[in-house]
């Protein structure tokens, strides 16, 4: 009997040690994501003391405002695998957007508008808004983005961020507070002005708006809470990030008739080239202005992404290489 008890105790200790090692490894490598039930719970009865957006306090003493924030926080922080990918994209992209916001004097919280707009995916909406910031073609052209058959700089995360900042500055001149500026990005400056005037209000939080705009600020702040405090909501994200690929910049001053050839010359495929330069719409790049220079991003270590064929490889080695290519390319599929 004692021997059996000792075996049980020993087995229990081994299980605890194994679990401890696994938990540590899961933070560093891409293992199965385990949900942590010790997530943060927010309720109207027990609200946080202060919640801010762009340095402006959300009036949580208003029970209607507090309830809207609670609802949006529950939706945006609900545990699922897509949020893991979002957190990884955010950790790669948001540090690149922050310096641009700072350069233009825009509060850093505005980076979360890009997250709400597109989940940091280069996508096009049903209304033809495009890119991280979901910019309409007319707005992009008005603010200086190049948009034609070959190039659409709305899909250029860095250039599009500069344009978004120009919009924010113009909007701030009109409204004088950052909460209204953010709301105007969803409903438009004229739309927000009309709502404030018709309803004789001065605060976004007092307006009766369409459901999307009415939830917009709450969604931004809820996403902010998730991305700044993921572990509090049960997200244990591995340190490995497939989006963090070292890149090199290649200036291009002459037309490229075939981007597939250009990609091959740099040791990658056309698919990978367009993955990191989503603003390229065609398989060619024509430069008509001799003063124009484009910058293409190319992986610094392409051999880590594309395994080239070897003539004298054995069938067994070729099969192994094929598996490596398949696994690597799966992380680079277009978002």
């Amino acid at each position: 009997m004692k021997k059996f008890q000792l075996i049980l105790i020993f087995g229990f200790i081994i299980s605890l040690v194994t679990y401890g090692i696994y938990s540590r490894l899961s933070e560093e490598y891409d293992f199965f994501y385990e949900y942590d039930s010790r997530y943060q719970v927010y309720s109207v009865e027990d609200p946080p003391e202060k919640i801010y957006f762009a340095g402006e306090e959300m009036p949580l003493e208003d029970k209607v405002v507090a309830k809207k924030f609670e609802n949006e926080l529950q939706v945006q922080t609900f545990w699922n695998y897509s949020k893991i990918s979002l957190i990884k994209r955010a950790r790669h992209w948001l540090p690149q957007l922050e310096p641009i916001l700072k350069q233009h004097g825009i509060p850093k919280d505005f980076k979360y508008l890009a997250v709400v707009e597109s989940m940091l995916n280069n996508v096009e909406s049903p209304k033809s808004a495009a890119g991280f910031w979901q910019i309409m073609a007319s707005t992009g052209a008005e603010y200086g983005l190049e948009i034609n058959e070959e190039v659409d700089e709305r899909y250029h995360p860095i250039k599009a961020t500069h344009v978004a900042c120009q919009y924010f500055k113009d909007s701030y001149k009109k409204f004088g507070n950052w909460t209204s500026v953010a709301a105007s990005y969803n409903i438009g400056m004229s739309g927000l002005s009309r709502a404030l005037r018709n309803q004789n209000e001065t605060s976004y939080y007092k307006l009766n708006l369409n459901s999307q705009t009415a939830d917009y600020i709450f969604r931004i702040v809820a996403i902010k809470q998730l991305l700044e405090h993921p572990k509090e909501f049960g997200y244990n994200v591995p340190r490995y990030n497939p989006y963090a690929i070292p890149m090199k910049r290649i200036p291009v001053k002459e037309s490229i008739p075939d981007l597939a050839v250009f990609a091959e010359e740099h040791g990658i495929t056309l698919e990978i080239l367009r993955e990191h330069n989503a603003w390229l719409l065609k398989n060619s790049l024509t430069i008509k202005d001799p003063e124009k220079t484009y910058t293409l991003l190319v992986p610094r270590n392409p051999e880590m992404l594309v395994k080239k064929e070897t003539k004298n490889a054995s069938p067994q080695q070729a099969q192994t290489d094929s598996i490596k290519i398949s696994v690597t390319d799966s992380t680079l599929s277009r978002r």
Side-chain angles (χ1 to χ4, degrees):
M1 185 65 180
K2 289 184 178 180
K3 183 177 181 181
F4 179 74
Q5 290 176 339
L6 287 173
I7 292 174
L8 284 178
I9 294 172
F10 184 76
F12 179 72
I13 293 173
I14 292 296
S15 298
L16 288 177
V17 172
T18 303
Y19 178 77
I21 294 173
Y22 175 84
S23 298
R24 288 180 176 275
L25 287 174
S26 66
E27 293 186 1
E28 185 169 0
Y29 301 104
D30 210 2
F31 285 109
F32 175 73
Y33 304 116
E34 184 174 4
Y35 173 65
D36 185 349
S37 61
R38 297 170 295 176
Y39 56 86
Q40 176 176 311
V41 177
Y42 168 84
S43 68
V44 177
E45 290 72 29
D46 185 26
E49 292 184 5
K50 303 283 185 181
I51 288 291
Y52 294 91
F53 168 72
E56 298 172 1
E57 185 177 349
M58 183 180 288
L60 294 178
E61 67 277 2
D62 184 327
K63 293 299 183 183
V64 174
V65 172
K67 183 63 177 177
K68 287 182 177 179
F69 178 57
E70 177 189 17
N71 291 341
E72 199 60 47
L73 192 67
Q74 290 174 347
V75 170
Q76 298 303 324
T77 61
F78 184 79
W79 198 91
N80 60 67
Y81 291 108
S82 66
K83 289 296 196 306
I84 292 286
S85 295
L86 172 61
I87 293 170
K88 288 183 176 182
R89 287 196 299 277
R91 288 180 176 180
H92 174 64
W93 280 110
L94 295 187
Q96 298 183 59
L97 305 187
E98 287 175 2
I100 302 173
L101 295 170
K102 184 177 181 180
Q103 175 185 336
H104 289 274
I106 307 299
K108 63 181 181 180
D109 280 355
F110 272 76
K111 64 191 176 187
Y112 298 115
L113 270 70
V115 181
V116 168
E117 288 291 329
S118 65
M119 294 292 122
L120 299 177
N121 287 309
N122 259 318
V123 293
E124 182 177 352
S125 76
K127 294 184 179 180
S128 298
F132 278 21
W133 293 96
Q134 290 293 279
I135 298 171
M136 298 295 291
S138 57
T139 304
E142 177 186 350
Y143 282 94
L145 290 180
E146 181 177 354
I147 302 173
N148 54 49
E149 292 184 354
E150 287 189 335
V151 171
D152 189 339
E153 291 183 334
R154 292 179 297 166
Y155 293 104
H156 194 302
I158 303 303
K159 291 186 177 182
T161 302
H162 282 285
V163 165
C165 287
Q166 292 293 338
Y167 179 95
F168 298 147
K169 289 192 288 188
D170 290 345
S171 183
Y172 189 79
K173 291 176 183 177
K174 187 176 184 68
F175 297 109
N177 69 86
W178 294 113
T179 301
S180 294
V181 170
S184 76
Y185 197 76
N186 181 262
I187 197 175
M189 288 187 232
S190 59
L192 184 63
S193 294
R194 187 164 51 251
L196 290 167
R197 182 177 61 254
N198 292 345
Q199 298 177 39
N200 195 27
E201 295 287 355
T202 58
S203 171
Y204 160 84
Y205 296 106
K206 296 293 185 181
L207 292 175
N208 180 25
L209 300 165
N210 67 77
S211 60
Q212 187 182 70
T213 308
D215 294 337
Y216 193 66
I217 300 299
F218 300 102
R219 184 169 298 121
I220 293 168
V221 178
I223 284 290
K224 172 186 174 181
Q225 297 303 307
L226 170 64
L227 296 180
E228 291 186 356
H229 312 286
K231 288 189 176 181
E232 292 185 18
F233 298 99
Y235 291 89
N236 185 20
V237 184
R239 293 189 184 93
Y240 169 70
N241 193 339
Y243 298 100
I245 299 173
M247 308 296 291
K248 60 182 177 181
R249 290 167 164 53
I250 300 179
V252 176
K253 298 183 179 181
E254 297 180 357
S255 296
I256 303 175
D258 191 339
L259 285 170
V261 174
F262 176 88
E264 185 177 8
E265 289 173 349
H266 289 84
I268 58 175
T269 64
L270 177 61
E271 180 184 7
I272 293 175
L273 178 67
R274 296 187 65 179
E275 170 70 18
H276 297 288
N277 302 274
W279 50 274
L280 294 170
L281 303 183
K282 302 289 186 179
N283 291 344
S284 59
L285 179 60
T286 304
I287 301 180
K288 298 178 181 178
D289 183 356
E291 301 297 322
K292 181 76 173 183
T293 300
Y294 293 97
T295 301
L296 296 183
L297 296 179
V298 172
R300 189 172 295 278
N301 302 304
E303 66 278 359
M304 297 179 65
L305 303 177
V306 179
K307 184 73 174 179
K308 297 196 173 185
E309 296 181 5
T310 55
K311 293 183 179 181
N312 299 322
S314 66
Q316 183 178 3
Q317 181 63 40
Q319 183 179 8
T320 302
D321 289 348
S322 175
I323 294 172
K324 289 180 180 178
I325 295 172
S326 176
V327 172
T328 303
D329 285 351
S330 68
T331 66
L332 294 170
S333 58
R334 181 173 294 276
R335 298 185 292 277

